[in-house]
Amino acid sequence: MPRPIEALIHSQALAHNLARARRAVADARVWAVVKANAYGHGIERVFEGLRSADGFALLDFDEAQRLRQLGWRGPILLLEGCFEARDLELCSRLNLWHVVHTGEQIEWLSRHKTHTPHRVFLKMNSGMNRLGFTPAAFRSAWARLDGLPQVDEISLMTHFSDADGPRGVSHQVAAFEAATHDLPGERSLSNSAATLGHPGLRSDWVRAGILSYGSAPDAPARSASDWDLRPAMTLRTRLIATQTLQAGDTVGYGSQFTAEHAMRIGIAACGYADGYPRHCATGTPVLVDGQRTRTVGRVSMDMLAVDLTHAPQAGVGSEVTLWGQGPQGSSLPIDEVAQAAGTIAYELMCALAMRVPVRVVDPL
Ligand SMILES: *Cc1c(COP(=O)(O)O)cnc(C)c1O
């Protein structure tokens, strides 16, 4: 028998979460953001669940090609645009829309030979200071693009740094508006946090990343269920051993946990080599047979220990849910595990290890 760990990708949850985004912004079109191999879920695996999106947004040409191979003929947007001039040939061949955020990319376009002009998303740096033209440089970039025969429609785009936090988006929206109010073209402003938290913004295309996968974009302030989002990934395994401890016994490397009294623990077949974060201290939530308990001691490469004090029925073979959907309707939000590890759900999803077998379940 193979090692009992596996990840499940829930197609219905993906579709539900996408529909949730549509409900928030009824007039907008929705990009399903599938960069980083669909946030670790796998492009091919999420395709069925997300195929009602209006388009797919990503960064890698390889991933764009895979989407075309799956038969997707609709829009694909390259969120960082081209990395060198000859990438434009692939854009022409695969009919990819691309972000333009630097003068070099405009230069490459002006020398590109193509029969069909490209749809581009001109990006403004409205305060994040990562990619894009400053508000002062934006209009001349727009005018240069507008003058190129290689360019068809120009859409306007920016990205928020604080859509999930107290600073909010108004300072960036104001900078964007001031520099674009009289320019034509569709707008794309909102990421997941803005789609749900600032649904009144004009964003003709919203970019739904993390919400599609069922994590709250503003965790831990709000939970996925507060937003009516459902986990699209479950990581689960089984107990492969149990131990009975006496008071004073310790667990795992570095003896980080000491039993205060006699207790039973289970050893689950999941460790940091599976993508479970090593930085989870004792007390990280975990489900055993659908019942909530906690990890004890350090996470090791292939195993972690769980407290069975309140699960006397549990033994070898008991189901352990690390995050996602558990048995009998139970669930454990990935955001809670991320918080215990001092990180965000994005990182946990993306870190799911190659050695974990993945199955797509809950077909539409
Ligand atoms: C990754 C990304 C998104 C999606 O962000 P979420 O917080 O996951 O919704 C949107 N826009 C851009 C430019 C991105 O790079």
Side-chain angles (χ1 to χ4, degrees):
M1 200 179 116
R3 197 163 161 260
I5 191 165
E6 66 175 351
L8 307 177
I9 305 301
H10 305 278
S11 294
Q12 285 180 23
L14 291 162
H16 168 89
N17 296 336
L18 202 62
R20 175 68 187 84
R22 283 200 192 285
R23 248 188 6 258
V25 287
D27 297 331
R29 271 169 290 173
V30 180
W31 292 112
V33 181
V34 293
K35 63 189 179 189
N37 199 25
Y39 289 43
H41 295 63
I43 299 237
E44 287 79 6
R45 297 185 197 114
V46 300
F47 185 63
E48 188 203 356
L50 296 179
R51 70 179 308 158
S52 65
D54 297 294
F56 289 92
L58 41 68
L59 316 176
D60 289 303
F61 285 87
D62 161 63
E63 294 181 344
Q65 203 144 18
R66 281 159 57 198
L67 270 172
R68 289 295 184 225
Q69 278 160 4
L70 288 167
W72 177 253
R73 294 176 175 281
I76 296 178
L77 177 65
L78 294 167
L79 289 167
E80 295 181 350
C82 293
F83 303 100
E84 57 177 334
R86 64 173 181 189
D87 290 343
L88 288 165
E89 289 160 28
L90 264 176
C91 292
S92 291
R93 182 140 50 86
L94 298 174
N95 186 21
L96 308 179
W97 302 1
H98 47 103
V99 167
V100 171
H101 63 84
T102 64
E104 286 81 357
Q105 290 174 326
I106 300 179
E107 199 55 47
W108 301 335
L109 258 172
S110 73
R111 296 196 304 265
H112 178 55
K113 293 186 177 53
T114 180
H115 298 297
T116 41
H118 291 194
R119 169 96 181 242
V120 296
F121 278 61
L122 182 61
K123 186 163 185 178
M124 183 189 295
N125 168 15
S126 59
M128 176 111 169
N129 287 307
R130 217 171 50 171
L131 300 184
F133 295 91
T134 60
F138 194 79
R139 300 181 71 88
S140 68
W142 186 89
R144 275 184 76 198
L145 279 177
D146 191 45
L148 295 181
Q150 291 89 344
V151 172
D152 178 25
E153 219 177 304
I154 307 172
S155 301
L156 314 179
M157 171 176 168
T158 198
H159 190 53
F160 296 132
S161 58
D162 290 75
D164 57 335
R167 192 176 180 201
V169 302
S170 54
H171 62 295
Q172 288 187 264
V173 172
F176 183 83
E177 279 301 317
T180 61
H181 64 94
D182 55 348
L183 291 179
E186 294 185 324
R187 270 70 170 150
S188 179
L189 278 70
S190 299
N191 57 1
S192 294
T195 299
L196 297 176
H198 303 277
L201 288 177
R202 179 183 168 197
S203 182
D204 305 306
W205 289 85
V206 299
R207 307 188 298 272
I210 197 70
L211 80 77
S212 309
Y213 305 100
S215 149
D218 53 354
R222 285 195 194 78
S223 69
S225 56
D226 289 343
W227 289 119
D228 185 26
L229 299 171
R230 298 186 191 155
M233 181 194 287
T234 291
L235 181 61
R236 70 181 189 186
T237 187
R238 293 187 183 279
L239 293 184
I240 57 171
T242 61
Q243 302 293 340
T244 302
L245 308 180
Q246 304 306 322
D249 285 352
T250 64
V251 176
Y253 288 118
S255 301
Q256 294 289 299
F257 175 80
T258 305
E260 283 176 8
H261 36 70
M263 65 184 284
R264 218 162 59 97
I265 60 167
I267 305 301
C270 176
Y272 60 79
D274 300 299
Y276 191 90
R278 185 174 169 278
H279 291 286
C280 281
T282 292
T284 301
V286 59
L287 308 182
V288 175
D289 293 331
Q291 185 184 337
R292 201 175 161 105
T293 177
R294 58 173 185 153
T295 65
V296 293
R298 259 191 205 149
V299 174
S300 43
M301 184 183 286
D302 312 307
M303 286 171 267
L304 56 80
V306 299
D307 186 346
L308 298 182
T309 303
H310 301 292
Q313 84 295 343
V316 169
S318 286
E319 184 169 336
V320 178
T321 308
L322 289 319
W323 60 67
Q325 306 185 16
Q328 291 104 41
S330 60
S331 76
L332 176 59
I334 190 171
D335 291 319
E336 289 189 34
V337 181
Q339 199 191 1
T343 185
I344 53 177
Y346 298 70
E347 191 180 29
L348 299 193
M349 293 172 180
C350 292
L352 182 73
M354 284 288 288
R355 79 172 185 184
V356 177
V358 187
R359 280 195 296 135
V360 180
V361 296
D362 309 337
L364 304 190

